[in-house]
Amino acid sequence: MSTDKNDVVIVELDRPRELRFGHKALKKMSALMGKSVEDIGGDELNLEEIEKVFFYGLSKDASDNGETLTLEMMEDILDHAPSYPYLMQKMNEAFAVAFGGMGDEGNQQ
């Protein structure tokens, strides 16, 4: 996957991780949270929902790196983020990429 395009969102946690919301992740999030895909992204998520969103968004990266990621691990992994606004920014960037809304701002940190 080329990083020349702004189609990859890297989030700095316990290690650099690719945050990606593919079809499988979106489908599982929607089912687990009982929300439509349109209702998942946004500022109205509670902390447990944010953990679920990141769990599914980081699952492919974990699988690609031979890790077994569990929902229970997310609290500790997300604690590595520099700030809560940073997590929200990265989540919004990854949703923008998933839905084709990534503009010229790219993968900023």
Side-chain angles (χ1 to χ4, degrees), residues 11-17 67 76-77 80-81:
V11 60
E12 296 292 335
L13 298 168
D14 54 330
R15 65 172 178 78
R17 292 179 179 265
E67 296 176 336
D76 291 328
I77 289 172
H80 289 276

Side-chain angles (χ1 to χ4, degrees), residues 33-42 44-45 49:
M33 296 170 71
K35 294 183 176 187
S36 70
V37 173
E38 294 82 17
D39 292 335
I40 291 174
E44 296 137 21
L45 297 175
E49 289 172 327

